[in-house]
Amino acid sequence: MKFRPLHDRVVVRRAEGDLMSKGGIMIPDTAKEKPQEGEVIAVGPGLRDESGKLVPLDVKTGDAILFGKWSGTEIRIDGEDLLIMKEADIMGIFEKTEGATRKVA
């Protein structure tokens, strides 16, 4: 990808939603809720504080994150649907635990 977000913005690939309900009913695309989880694809350099010092972001490329339901702006880069949002819209990072695997996208 040849896109670099500015300031405290982050580019996120949204996780795939469930195709079936817990009861086994197939959910059509129009009725599915968009997942609030994703993977960080690119991050900006950070914001500057009052003294002009650059404050880097807490998230990094590859982090699995949880973000708000209405967070971000949908964009299309290289034919892929992505989200661009401010770091403040991210609620948390999923920690990698030993022995557990979590596939986000």
Side-chain angles (χ1 to χ4, degrees), residues 24-97:
I25 299 171
M26 192 76 137
I27 302 171
D29 287 340
T30 55
K32 284 194 303 188
E33 279 196 39
K34 293 184 179 181
Q36 293 174 259
E37 298 177 20
E39 178 185 0
V40 177
I41 303 302
V43 297
L47 284 176
R48 298 206 178 267
D49 62 10
E50 292 83 23
S51 65
K53 182 180 173 190
L54 187 66
V55 179
L57 302 182
D58 289 331
V59 296
K60 61 185 179 307
T61 302
D63 281 347
I65 60 166
L66 179 70
F67 51 88
K69 192 170 197 165
W70 306 109
S71 298
T73 302
E74 294 182 357
I75 58 172
R76 182 175 282 264
I77 299 175
D78 296 335
E80 184 177 14
D81 290 327
L82 302 169
L83 288 170
I84 188 165
M85 65 183 69
K86 290 191 170 227
E87 185 186 36
D89 292 336
I90 297 173
M91 293 186 213
I93 302 171
F94 291 106
E95 296 291 331
K96 294 177 181 158
T97 57

